[in-house]
Structure formats: C-alpha cells, structure tokens
C-alpha cells in the first residue's frame, strides 16, 4: 500500500448556553416535552419578526477571542434557503460572508488518543459564525416526529482549516475546542444532548503534492471516538481505491458505529444551492474596539494556560497537567487543593489514581464528590507529617468518599493514627523476630530482602498503623545486633 498524506478539516456545531433561543424568548432547554418550547417566531409563522439574542452574540465573540480570532467591526446575518421538515420557514438564519469571528487557531500537544505523542502545533480556524439550530427529527418506526423545541437554539459553527494530518490530531483538536467552550462557559458540549456535533472533511494526496485530493465529507459522528474510528476507516478505504488507480468522487458519507464503516449518503451532484442573501429583518452587527476589549477582559484562564501554570507552580509532569485539566471542574478542584497543601504533586497523584477511579466507579461528578479538595489536601498533609502512613491513608480515603467526613475526624473515630512511639512498636518487632527463626537465619546469611518480610509481619501485628520507617530502623537494630 502506498503512503498518502491525510488532510482533515472539521466543521463543529456548538449549541450556546443561553436562557432563551436565538431570535425569540422561548426557553433554551434540553429534554422538555416535544413542541412545548415554541412560539410563532421559532415556528416560522408568516409576518413574525426575529429579535437577536445579545448573550449569544457576546458568547460567540468570547469563543472567538479564546481561539485567537479576529473580531471584525461589522458582521451580518443571512438567510440560507433550503426545504426540509426540520426548518419550518424554509430558510435558516445564519451568517455567510461576514461572520462574527475570523482566522483563529487552536493549540494541540501532549499525548494523543492512541497513546502516542502529538506534534506540538496550531490548527487554524477559518471562522466561527452564529446561526439558529433546526428542529430535531425523531424517527419512530414507519413515521417521523418533528420536535421544534430545538429550532432556534443559538448555534455556533466553528470551521477549521484543513490542518489536521491524522485521526489523533482530529481527536485532540475536538478535545481542545470542547475544553475552551466549557472553560469559557459558552457550552456544556454534551454530545449525547446534541450540544456539540461534528462533520469531518477528509482527503488523501501523495506526499509532496500541493493540490488537495478529492474531499469526502463524513456526517453522523456522535462522539470523538466515532470521529477517530471513521477517519481511520476512511484513510484505509481511500488508500485502497487510490492504490487501485481509481478516481474518487466527491461525496458525503455517513458513519455506522455498530458496523464500524462509512456508507454513501449523497454525491456532489445532489448538493444544495442555498441561495444565501442578507436577512432583511435583522440589523447588521457593529462592534467597536472598546466593546471587544471589554469582552477580552472577561475571558477566563484557558486550559492551556492552566496546564503551563500547573507544571511551573506545582511541579507536575505535562501528562499530569493534561489529565487534570480535561474538565474545568476537575482543574478547579485540583487548583483549590494544591494551594492548601505543601505537596501538590502528591495531591495530583491521589486525584489521578484514587479520586478519578472512585468517581468512575460511583458514577459521580467531581462537583458532587463527597471528598472535598480541602479534606484531600488535609489528608496529604497528615501523611507528610507522619500522622498516618500511606496504607492507612487508603482506608481514610475510602471513608472520606463514603461519609464525606474530614480526615482528622475519621482517624480519631477509627483509631487509625500512625504509631511512631518506639515503646509501642518494639514488642511487635520482637514478636515478629521470635516467631520467624528461619527468616532470621536467612538475613544473617546475607539475604537483606528478608527485611521486607519482617516489615510486613510487624505491619500486620500493628494492624497497619506502625510507622514503616520506624519499623525498619528497629528491625535492623535487632537483626544486626
Ligand atoms: Zn420561540
């Protein structure tokens, strides 16, 4: 099989978190009874007038600023004409030639989805424009229902440059985009609720060739994992056709997740002509520099900046920082705890290995977790101070996760404090030595590893509470003596 360069561009739709819809006062909520959140405007009745949602415009500009976009001072809405049951007025209000945000970029780096290191690079954004979502078609056996609750929900479309070169890069770009939207409070990006939807453009070309190969558009990708799989499937499928000397057709393909393959939806000849023209019922959007600067001041700390700070201030590895900034709530949790403890690296280890396991086992979110960052930081300081050892800390952690009690209270109530008093540990050390004469013999014959065996025996006798360093010291004194 010949080697081809993969060229990928993504079009991502993101629903904007607002109280009301884009051009009417209906509530923007998910999961309501079908067709209960509707009015003459979002149902497209004749003669109604749209009123723009300024919060949606502000959030789109914020999203653009977070992605390093230029914000033009003049922007407008256009009508995109098409006929389909999901759009009652037979056109969608969108933006065509003058979108709100232009020319941005998103940084990707770190470990990719396949576990390999990604190239450290920027993926260009062509534009972000604002439009209204369309209704949702629910296919019910032989009939279909239309739910207009979603029609008119504010929707951003983020169009990337064809800068991605692998499934891993596409996955990383989507992850970075989602994180930015979540950190900025623009959207929750819950793909299961359709808050983030993604189309992929993919083509292959021989290495060194300047012109792009034939572009295939992939639709119906409802998870990042599906994007990753579909891209790899297409790379294999297109390579095979090109190797066989076939010419690819420009077409739109769907993704069947169960079968793990793409299928033909339509060819280029069936493509729409949307007959865009300026929306006559809406004023153009004019933005002065002062307003854009005001928005810029409202920007939150972004995941990438947070990762850099975690590495510099708390001594984390880039990988730890990548894991801890996956979600804003988790990053804030860690940041809060790290400011309270003298061992922020140990805190990171506990969160990554114990807390995240606990959350995935219990199905809880970090915000609802009974273990507060204050309690976890306090527990780590107790380990550092020698008040409990690492083994007991596991017990304390489990109890914190079930009861939500502070670690000090748990240690006091359950009598878990570490025993560092020589007078209490010496009898246990002597008991272990007396009961294991063959091992004593092995030690004296030069097998130093036997010490670990004795440590285990003494820890067992102390029900895990003896200070391990003290146990080793006392054991050596007696075994060597
Ligand atoms: Zn409405």
């Amino acid at each position: 099989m010949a080697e081809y360069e993969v060229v990928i561009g993504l079009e991502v739709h993101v629903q904007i978190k607002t109280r009301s819809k884009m051009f009417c006062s209906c509530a923007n909520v998910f999961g309501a009874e079908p067709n209960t959140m509707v009015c003459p405007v979002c149902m497209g009745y004749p003669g109604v007038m749209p009123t723009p949602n300024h919060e949606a415009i502000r959030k789109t500009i914020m999203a653009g600023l977070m992605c390093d976009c230029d914000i033009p001072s003049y922007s407008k809405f256009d009508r995109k004409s098409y006929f389909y049951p999901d759009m009652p007025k037979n056109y969608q209000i969108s933006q065509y030639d003058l979108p709100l945000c232009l020319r941005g970029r998103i940084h990707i780096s770190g470990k990719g989805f396949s576990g390999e290191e990604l190239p450290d690079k920027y993926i260009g954004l062509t534009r972000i424009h604002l439009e209204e979502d369309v209704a949702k078609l629910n296919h019910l056996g032989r009939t279909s229902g239309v739910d207009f609750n979603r029609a008119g929900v504010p929707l951003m479309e983020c169009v990337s440059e064809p800068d991605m070169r692998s499934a891993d890069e596409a996955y990383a770009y989507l992850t970075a985009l989602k994180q930015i939207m979540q950190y900025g409070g623009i959207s929750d990006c819950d793909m299961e609720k359709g808050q983030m939807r993604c189309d992929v453009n993919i083509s292959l070309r021989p290495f060194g060739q300047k012109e792009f190969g034939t572009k295939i558009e992939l639709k119906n990708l409802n998870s990042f994992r599906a994007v990753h799989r579909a891209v790899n499937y297409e790379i294999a499928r297109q390579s095979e056709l090109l190797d066989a000397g076939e010419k690819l057709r420009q077409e739109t393909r769907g993704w069947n997740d169960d079968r793990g393959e793409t299928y033909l939806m339509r060819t280029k000849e069936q493509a729409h002509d949307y007959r865009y023209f300026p929306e006559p019922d809406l004023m153009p959007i004019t933005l002065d520099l002062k307003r854009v600067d005001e928005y810029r001041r409202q920007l939150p700390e972004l995941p990438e900046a947070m990762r850099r700070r975690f590495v510099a201030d708390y001594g984390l590895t880039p990988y730890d920082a990548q894991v801890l900034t996956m979600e804003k709530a988790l990053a804030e949790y860690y940041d809060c705890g790290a400011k309270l403890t003298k061992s922020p690296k140990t805190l990171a280890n506990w969160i990554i290995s114990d807390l995240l396991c606990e959350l995935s086992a219990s199905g809880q979110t970090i915000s609802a977790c009974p273990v507060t960052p204050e309690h976890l930081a306090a527990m780590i300081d107790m380990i550092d101070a020698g008040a409990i050892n690492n083994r007991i800390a596991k017990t304390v952690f489990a109890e914190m996760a079930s009861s939500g009690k502070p670690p000090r209270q748990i240690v006091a109530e359950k009598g878990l404090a570490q025993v560092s008093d020589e007078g209490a540990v010496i009898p246990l050390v002597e008991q272990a030595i007396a009961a294991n004469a063959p091992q004593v013999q092995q030690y004296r014959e030069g097998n130093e590893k036997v010490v670990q065996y004795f440590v285990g025996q003494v820890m067992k006798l102390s029900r895990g509470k003896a200070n391990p360093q003290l146990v080793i010291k006392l054991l050596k004194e007696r075994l060597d003596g």
Side-chain angles (χ1 to χ4, degrees):
M1 198 165 89
E3 284 280 322
Y4 298 98
E5 185 178 36
V6 183
V7 177
I8 301 166
L10 298 180
E11 288 169 22
V12 181
H13 282 98
V14 177
Q15 279 187 350
I16 305 172
K17 198 157 67 169
T18 52
R19 284 182 35 212
S20 57
K21 290 190 184 179
M22 189 59 228
F23 298 112
C24 62
S25 56
C26 291
N28 172 10
V29 288
F30 176 83
E33 273 294 298
N35 299 312
T36 53
M37 302 291 158
V38 292
C39 74
V41 175
C42 54
M43 290 295 284
Y45 285 17
V48 295
M49 288 291 277
T51 315
N53 181 333
H54 290 286
E55 182 62 1
I57 294 172
R58 185 184 73 88
K59 286 194 164 165
T60 305
I61 295 169
M62 296 279 279
L65 291 172
M66 289 188 287
C67 299
D68 270 347
C69 288
D70 296 334
I71 310 298
S73 56
Y74 185 87
S75 175
K76 70 172 169 65
F77 288 107
D78 299 277
R79 285 190 182 179
K80 177 181 178 179
S81 310
Y82 72 93
F83 183 73
Y84 199 65
D86 66 7
M87 180 40 76
K89 45 186 194 269
N90 294 335
Y91 64 83
Q92 179 187 24
I93 304 178
S94 181
Q95 297 195 282
Y96 183 54
D97 53 343
L98 297 170
L100 277 166
C101 316
L102 285 167
R103 292 177 296 274
R105 58 179 194 170
I106 288 177
H107 186 238
I108 60 166
S109 68
K111 223 179 251 314
F113 182 68
S114 310
E116 287 180 25
E117 209 63 30
L118 293 162
D120 198 298
K121 72 186 242 189
Y122 285 97
I123 308 298
L125 268 181
T126 315
R127 58 188 273 157
I128 302 177
H129 68 249
L130 179 56
E131 59 189 26
E132 56 180 339
D133 208 344
V134 296
K136 190 168 171 21
L137 299 181
N138 294 310
H139 303 290
L140 320 150
R142 292 167 64 189
T143 60
S144 288
V146 187
D147 178 6
F148 287 98
N149 286 351
R150 200 179 75 179
V153 164
L155 191 68
M156 272 185 315
E157 183 172 339
C158 310
V159 182
S160 88
E161 291 289 311
D163 287 348
M164 287 155 272
R165 294 290 173 267
S166 68
D168 268 15
E169 288 186 25
Y171 191 97
Y173 167 84
L174 286 169
T175 305
L177 183 65
K178 177 180 171 177
Q179 284 179 352
I180 289 170
M181 297 303 166
Q182 287 178 337
Y183 274 64
I186 310 296
S187 175
D188 294 332
C189 295
D190 186 337
M191 291 190 88
E192 281 174 22
K193 294 181 182 170
Q195 292 169 348
M196 188 177 189
R197 312 196 288 270
C198 173
D199 297 336
V200 176
N201 290 314
I202 174 169
S203 63
L204 265 54
R205 64 181 170 193
F207 277 100
Q209 178 180 305
K210 272 224 169 93
E211 307 82 59
F212 291 124
T214 307
K215 186 171 82 181
I216 306 291
E217 189 180 10
L218 304 179
K219 285 190 177 288
N220 297 349
L221 300 155
N222 41 29
S223 68
F224 292 179
R225 211 176 144 261
V227 170
H228 196 270
R229 291 176 71 203
V231 163
N232 280 334
Y233 178 86
E234 273 302 301
I235 293 172
R237 187 187 72 86
Q238 293 179 30
S239 300
E240 212 169 290
L241 290 171
L242 292 171
D243 283 351
E246 289 194 39
K247 221 171 141 47
L248 291 168
R249 280 181 310 177
Q250 199 168 330
E251 58 191 30
T252 301
R253 301 179 69 86
W255 169 248
N256 184 322
D257 208 48
D258 293 331
R259 293 170 58 175
E261 56 189 40
T262 64
Y263 58 91
L264 179 67
M265 286 173 83
R266 59 171 180 263
T267 56
K268 178 70 183 164
E269 295 77 60
Q270 295 155 275
H272 300 284
D273 172 11
Y274 293 120
R275 294 183 292 115
Y276 282 98
F277 68 90
E279 167 59 56
D281 291 339
L282 289 165
M283 293 284 284
I285 303 159
T286 52
L287 287 160
D288 55 32
L289 271 176
K290 236 177 87 190
R291 197 152 132 220
V292 176
D293 280 343
E294 177 57 39
Y295 291 161
R296 210 183 289 276
R297 276 195 293 277
Q298 295 169 10
L299 294 180
E301 185 180 20
L302 292 180
E304 200 190 338
M306 225 165 184
R307 280 192 283 276
R308 264 188 266 119
R309 185 162 63 79
F310 285 2
V311 170
D313 293 3
Y314 301 139
L316 301 192
T317 63
Y319 180 71
D320 289 344
Q322 189 181 350
V323 174
L324 291 172
T325 53
M326 279 305 283
E327 276 182 53
K328 189 183 189 187
L330 179 64
E332 285 174 345
Y333 181 102
Y334 172 69
D335 202 20
C336 171
K339 288 190 173 114
L340 299 170
T341 172
K342 287 181 209 78
S343 305
K345 170 68 183 148
T346 312
L347 176 68
N349 295 345
W350 274 88
I351 292 175
I352 292 169
S353 55
D354 297 83
L355 188 72
L356 291 181
C357 287
E358 171 65 30
L359 290 177
S360 81
S362 65
Q364 275 171 325
T365 61
I366 186 85
S367 0
C369 178
V371 184
T372 66
E374 291 82 1
H375 290 172
L376 193 54
M379 188 192 86
I380 283 156
D381 286 345
M382 288 174 79
I383 302 171
D384 286 350
I388 52 173
N389 62 38
N390 269 309
R391 216 167 107 182
I392 292 294
K394 299 275 177 196
T395 311
V396 174
F397 179 84
E399 180 62 26
M400 281 159 67
S402 64
S403 70
K405 287 179 185 171
R408 243 167 242 293
Q409 187 184 342
I410 293 167
V411 169
E413 281 176 5
K414 305 213 154 200
L416 294 172
Q418 175 161 269
V419 179
S420 298
D421 168 19
E422 287 202 12
V425 180
I426 289 171
L428 305 178
V429 169
E430 288 176 345
Q431 193 184 335
I433 290 173
N436 295 284
Q439 283 77 10
V440 175
Q441 186 61 29
Q442 285 173 26
Y443 180 83
R444 296 205 166 128
E445 282 162 7
N447 185 354
E448 296 246 343
K449 283 187 204 144
V450 181
V451 173
Q452 280 314 315
Y453 170 78
F454 281 108
V455 172
Q457 295 302 307
V458 176
M459 292 308 285
K460 206 183 277 177
L461 290 169
S462 76
R463 288 184 298 128
K465 291 189 287 185
N467 178 333
Q469 277 78 40
L470 178 66
V471 172
I472 292 172
K473 182 188 143 235
L474 295 173
L475 273 169
K476 287 202 168 167
E477 279 171 13
R478 272 149 193 79
L479 290 168
D480 291 340

